[in-house]
Amino acid sequence: MERGLADLMHTASCQHDDHGHPGLKGVALNRALGEAERRCAATQERLTSPRRRVLALLLEADGPLKAYDLIAAFGEGGEPAKPPTVYRALEFLERLGFAHRIESLNAYVPCRLEGQSHEAAFLICDCCGTAQEFEPDFQAQLAAAEAAGYEVQSITLEARGRCPACRA
Ligand SMILES: [Zn+2]
Ligand SMILES: [Zn+2]
Ligand SMILES: [Zn+2]
């Protein structure tokens, strides 16, 4: 299982080590899944087994995963998932703020920030493919949009560059 996931990562061409954002495993993974169960229960939603499985794969991964990575890894070496199962689970996880889609990579990451659904911003490393989430401050943009008479539905910020490990 772990080897299978490692094969999915986008680190093949990166020669740098000491990356600071390894996936969760063991106790930390179970704690994150338990917390997700509690947040679902608090909003009358259910973390069904496909939803839980997709969230676990995202949490275990060292970087963003594409939908076809998730479909392939879903069955733990057995049958791959039916694509709609994974897409529906991703839609749910995004809606509840457990996961984000990074548009420029067409890939998914688990939300690393506590709390509800929120605006997302990412620092994406073009060398190793990691994506670090940070909390954006869009006040100026929202104020400008409001002044122009717009009602903003969502803003996504994706900054591209090199992570500390790859700059070293
Ligand atoms: Zn690198
Ligand atoms: Zn987030
Ligand atoms: Zn990097």
Side-chain angles (χ1 to χ4, degrees):
M1 177 58 220
E2 280 182 20
R3 186 182 303 151
L5 255 188
D7 291 342
L8 298 175
M9 304 319 308
H10 308 275
T11 51
S13 59
C14 174
Q15 306 293 312
H16 309 102
D17 43 41
D18 194 28
H19 287 88
H21 299 281
L24 302 182
K25 47 175 97 96
V27 176
L29 177 61
N30 285 330
R31 192 186 303 127
L33 289 169
E35 178 58 27
E37 303 251 15
R38 273 190 295 283
R39 277 175 56 192
C40 281
T43 53
Q44 316 292 321
E45 300 276 4
R46 266 179 18 94
L47 194 64
T48 59
S49 102
R51 292 167 175 176
R52 186 188 169 92
R53 176 71 182 139
V54 170
L55 179 58
L57 287 170
L58 292 173
L59 290 167
E60 283 175 74
D62 293 332
L65 291 180
K66 291 179 181 287
Y68 61 72
D69 297 329
L70 291 161
I71 290 164
F74 189 90
E76 277 184 275
E79 289 279 294
K82 292 199 168 59
T85 304
V86 167
Y87 283 109
R88 276 198 299 265
L90 285 169
E91 198 183 312
F92 172 84
L93 295 172
E94 274 194 280
R95 183 163 58 80
L96 269 78
F98 291 124
H100 299 294
R101 178 168 173 270
I102 298 180
E103 303 201 3
S104 64
L105 300 178
N106 193 19
Y108 297 83
V109 290
C111 180
R112 298 287 191 188
L113 305 175
E114 300 283 317
Q116 303 300 311
S117 183
H118 60 92
E119 304 286 354
F122 293 94
L123 303 169
I124 299 165
C125 179
D126 284 326
C127 182
C128 68
T130 58
Q132 185 184 338
E133 183 173 359
F134 68 101
E135 232 164 333
D137 180 359
F138 287 134
Q139 280 188 9
Q141 288 79 2
L142 291 169
E146 195 179 328
Y150 278 78
E151 181 188 305
V152 174
Q153 302 241 297
S154 70
I155 305 177
T156 307
L157 178 66
E158 300 181 6
R160 307 292 292 251
R162 286 190 170 224
C163 74
C166 292
R167 287 180 66 201

